[in-house]
């Protein structure tokens, strides 16, 4: 069970006799080998010459080869587990009523059980207010007799390498005066560690061989502070002094923490009808078993929505690092895919945030990429001879240069453009014009500048993007069938005109032109260049089977057996193509999605199921959207509700991969999917319940956000009832659309200017800041029935 404050993580696992708390720190990373990126920009002309000749396989590895010839072989860094806090005791009788719980509203992990006539409880949280791990052990009718240890993390049965020697050989653990002190040395020569203070109520406190012992106590309060870099003696002295100053009780410390954590969790709320008091007491494994049997209950869908938000809130904070694939709780010494991966994964983890009222937690991700702009400029110049920025798909806190020097990464140029949409989205949902002027607009310009230099004009006057990658896919005519099954390899990803390149570019340039108009800060010549580029983007194309083409070039055929579906970008996450705007093109995108789910069902992952669910929701198809979440739950969901990359049981609905690493992008993709099913919050329009599955026949939403305000509503389909309210955070002018089959019956408009007499299904809403419009609607064949719950 995880707890965290955005900087420090604590994950409780183990058992009555030996409880373990994994301690982590977001800034503690290890093992990287950084190198100066060589100047190889002349390689681009060679790559393009080979591609012009149709020698795509030869072009595929040329840039990688040039880098290796120059001796460029960096090694990425990975998170380093800080320590384990262990609580060891001897049972006095057989246990019963054992229960382990996590309170999402407070971040408190609790473990309870009974032995004989005694009841025991352990409670832990990581304080957001005091950067402190707070842990209390207590008993009624018995006493607390435990040994407390701080030691290097035991990785259990994880298949990755053991503890690095520079950690094991530099360990120092001391116990004295009620304090445990732990430290080891990282590969950069800096120390990391922790200080623990034990404060028993009654009983005795002892020290022996680097551990503390508590005997005969009614309870014991354990306070832990950690450090990720520095000198151990200085850090120990500092942290010990800080711990001596802590005079609050456990409850007081919890109150201080929840004053910050609680409002974030309550920034929005969702109830899906099946998660009342009875469902909230259902064991997690019962919900998982129900999903495994074939049905995804509203209770589990709702719980996963709340849990994903909890992980996000607990795993990042302003001034810190972005949320990572392991959150704050990485318990391996060489964690696979632990870097920030921006060819879909990072973006997926932030899709939910603005609409869920968590815009302030988007800032760490924006800060992270913005602070590395100089390195990204250097990447663009040295790799491709271009101005602007080249952001490698994978980065770490200490490495913004590319460390995955393979074609599928080096030839994908869309990370900066895709991330730019998050800068602009932050502005759209906050209305912060200063942010738009000083941060979003400059970042977007850098992304556009790269495209200006990188793209070329074809014989037909349209833009050509090459080398071009559709993450992380290889065209169908460049991979053999025997290499498809369970493949993680990227056989030949180097192609021409991946649809995703142009979808990102089209959105970027459209947003840029709008931002310039809003701010008045754009050079006329730059505006002219962007407008010309926008006009020269090639049109999307459709295959003979009716699916939109993933590569807009005749030399490449589609390959549906793949986990990535990024080329659906114009439908989701962008708003470029919809059933209303272009029905024929929309259907081509929809056909491409269906083929991924059917033809490529065994090639999916947890995050691709989440991505598919988001796309189906945007397509307003609720049942397939829910089925994708059900497939995720049946295949890639652990009993503590962490999502893992693939199904370790090899049941046929995900990649058959040798291990199943934690990837919380699917946890957060689930949050976004639920929100998309309940609310379409597009620029200038809001649609209620656009993709509602039949099993969510009643429920409520509180304070989901659209660009300029928030919306709350409740529905009961059996009674044909819907009511809600729209509140403007600033001047609001939008088109509000009711669910299919509903018509407006009453409106209470507080100082608003709306189209009186309109009954729906769509009606304009114009509100000034702080004003609210309340409405009721009923199903056309139903009737309004008073309901205390509505």
């Amino acid at each position: 069970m995880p707890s965290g404050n955005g900087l420090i993580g604590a994950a409780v696992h183990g058992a009555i006799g030996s409880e373990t708390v994994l301690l982590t720190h977001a800034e503690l990373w290890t093992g990287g080998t950084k190198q100066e990126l060589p100047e190889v920009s002349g390689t681009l002309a060679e790559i393009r010459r080979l591609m012009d000749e149709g020698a795509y396989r030869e072009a595929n590895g040329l840039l990688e080869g040039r880098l290796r010839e120059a001796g460029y072989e960096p090694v990425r860094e990975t998170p380093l587990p800080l320590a384990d806090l262990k609580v060891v005791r001897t049972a006095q009788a057989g246990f019963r009523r054992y229960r382990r719980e996590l309170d999402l509203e407070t971040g408190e992990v609790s473990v309870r059980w009974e032995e004989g006539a005694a009841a025991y409880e352990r409670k832990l949280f990581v304080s957001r207010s005091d950067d402190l791990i707070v842990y209390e052990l207590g008993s009624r009718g018995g006493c607390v007799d435990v040994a407390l240890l701080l030691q290097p993390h035991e990785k259990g049965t994880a298949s990755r390498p053991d503890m690095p020697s520079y950690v094991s050989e530099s360990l120092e653990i001391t116990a004295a005066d009620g304090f445990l002190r732990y430290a080891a040395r990282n590969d950069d020569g800096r120390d990391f560690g922790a200080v623990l203070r034990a404060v028993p109520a009654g009983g005795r406190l002892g020290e022996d061989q680097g551990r503390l012992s508590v005997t005969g106590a009614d309870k014991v309060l354990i306070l832990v502070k950690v450090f990720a870099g520095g000198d151990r003696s200085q850090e120990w002295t500092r942290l010990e002094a800080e711990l001596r100053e802590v005079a609050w009780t456990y409850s007081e410390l919890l109150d201080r923490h929840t004053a910050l954590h609680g409002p974030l969790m309550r920034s929005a709320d969702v109830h899906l009808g099946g998660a009342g008091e009875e469902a909230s007491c259902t064991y997690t494994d019962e919900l998982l078993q129900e999903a495994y049997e074939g049905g995804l209950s509203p209770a589990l869908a709702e719980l996963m929505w709340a849990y994903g938000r909890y992980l996000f809130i607990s795993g990042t904070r302003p001034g810190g690092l972005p949320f990572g694939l392991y959150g704050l709780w990485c318990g391996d010494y060489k964690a696979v895919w632990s870097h920030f991966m921006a060819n879909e994964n990072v973006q997926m983890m932030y899709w939910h945030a603005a609409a869920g009222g968590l815009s302030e937690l988007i800032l760490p991700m924006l800060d992270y990429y913005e602070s590395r702009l100089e390195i990204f400029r250097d990447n663009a110049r040295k790799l491709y001879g271009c101005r602007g920025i080249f952001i490698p798909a994978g980065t770490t806190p200490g490495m913004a240069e590319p460390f995955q020097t393979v074609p599928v990464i080096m030839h994908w140029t869309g990370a900066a453009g895709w991330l730019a949409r998050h800068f602009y989205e932050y502005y759209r949902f906050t209305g912060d014009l200063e942010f738009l002027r000083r941060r979003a607009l400059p970042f977007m310009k850098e992304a556009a500048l790269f495209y200006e230099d990188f793209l070329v004009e074809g014989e037909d006057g349209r833009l050509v993007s090459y080398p071009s990658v559709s993450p992380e896919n290889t065209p169908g005519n460049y991979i053999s069938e025997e290499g498809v099954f369970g493949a993680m390899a990227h056989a030949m990803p180097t192609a021409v005109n991946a649809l995703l390149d142009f979808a990102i570019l089209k959105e970027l340039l459209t947003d840029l032109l709008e931002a310039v108009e809003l701010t008045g800060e754009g050079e006329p010549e730059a505006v002219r260049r962007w407008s010309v580029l926008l006009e020269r983007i090639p049109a999307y194309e459709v295959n003979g089977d009716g699916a939109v083409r993933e590569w807009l070039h005749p030399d490449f055929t589609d390959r549906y057996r793949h986990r990535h579906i990024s080329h659906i970008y114009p439908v989701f996450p962008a708003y470029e193509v919809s059933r209303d705007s272009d029905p024929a093109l929309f259907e081509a995108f929809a056909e491409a999605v269906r083929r991924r789910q059917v033809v490529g069902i065994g090639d999916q992952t947890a995050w691709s199921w989440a991505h598919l669910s988001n796309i189906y929701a945007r397509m307003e198809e609720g049942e397939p959207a829910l089925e994708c979440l059900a497939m995720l739950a049946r295949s890639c969901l652990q009993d503590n509700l962490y999502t893992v990359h693939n199904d370790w049981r090899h049941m046929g609905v995900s990649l058959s991969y040798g291990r199943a690493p934690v990837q919380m992008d699917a946890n957060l993709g689930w949050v976004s999917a639920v929100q998309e099913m309940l609310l379409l919050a597009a620029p200038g329009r809001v649609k209620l319940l656009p993709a509602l599955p039949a099993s969510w026949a009643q429920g409520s939403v509180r304070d989901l956000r659209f660009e300029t305000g928030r919306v709350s509503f409740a529905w009961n389909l059996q009674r044909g009832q819907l009511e809600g309210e729209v509140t403007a955070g600033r001047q609001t002018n939008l088109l509000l659309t009711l669910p299919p089959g509903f018509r407006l019956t009453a409106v209470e408009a507080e100082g608003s200017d709306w189209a009186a007499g309109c009954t729906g299904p769509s009606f304009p809403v114009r509100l000034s800041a702080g004003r609210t419009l309340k409405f009721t609607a009923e199903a056309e064949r139903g009737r309004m029935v008073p309901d205390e719950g509505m």
Side-chain angles (χ1 to χ4, degrees), residues 151-171:
Q151 63 184 44
H153 173 59
E154 293 178 344
K155 68 185 187 66
T157 59
S159 61
R160 305 296 286 171
D162 291 319
M163 180 195 326
S165 59
Y166 48 81
V167 173
S168 59
E169 293 170 2
S170 63
L171 282 174

Side-chain angles (χ1 to χ4, degrees), residues 296-328:
L296 181 65
S297 67
L300 181 56
E302 178 185 323
L303 176 60
M304 286 293 292
W305 175 84
Y307 184 62
R309 283 168 52 86
Y310 169 81
L311 292 173
F312 184 70
I313 289 165
S314 302
T316 187
R317 69 182 188 183
L321 289 171
F323 191 89
L325 287 171
Y326 287 79
L328 268 181

Side-chain angles (χ1 to χ4, degrees), residues 93-94 96 114-119:
R96 63 184 184 278
E114 296 177 6
E115 289 180 19

Side-chain angles (χ1 to χ4, degrees), residues 605-682:
T605 61
W607 57 261
S608 71
W609 282 121
H611 194 174
L612 280 164
S613 182
N614 277 273
I615 292 171
Y616 274 117
R618 183 64 62 82
M619 289 163 52
E620 302 184 20
E621 297 185 28
E623 298 306 331
L626 185 64
E627 176 60 17
C628 289
L629 295 184
M631 295 289 267
L632 194 168
R634 291 202 292 274
S635 60
C636 301
L637 196 55
Q638 300 277 56
D639 56 5
N640 70 341
L641 303 186
Y642 284 2
T643 51
V644 293
H645 177 266
N646 52 274
D647 189 349
W648 67 98
R649 297 162 299 194
H650 308 290
M651 298 297 282
V653 293
S654 82
L655 281 172
S656 291
Y657 190 57
R659 53 186 180 272
V662 168
Q663 278 197 221
M664 292 183 181
D665 45 5
N667 279 110
L668 301 182
W670 186 302
V671 179
S672 175
V674 168
Q675 292 174 184
E676 286 282 339
M677 293 159 80
L678 298 174
L679 183 74
L680 173 68

Side-chain angles (χ1 to χ4, degrees), residues 556-571:
F556 307 98
T557 62
D558 278 24
R559 175 189 171 206
Y560 299 121
R561 297 204 56 180
H562 202 262
R563 61 200 176 276
H564 272 266
I565 30 183
S566 307
H567 62 299
I568 311 301
Y569 191 101
V571 174

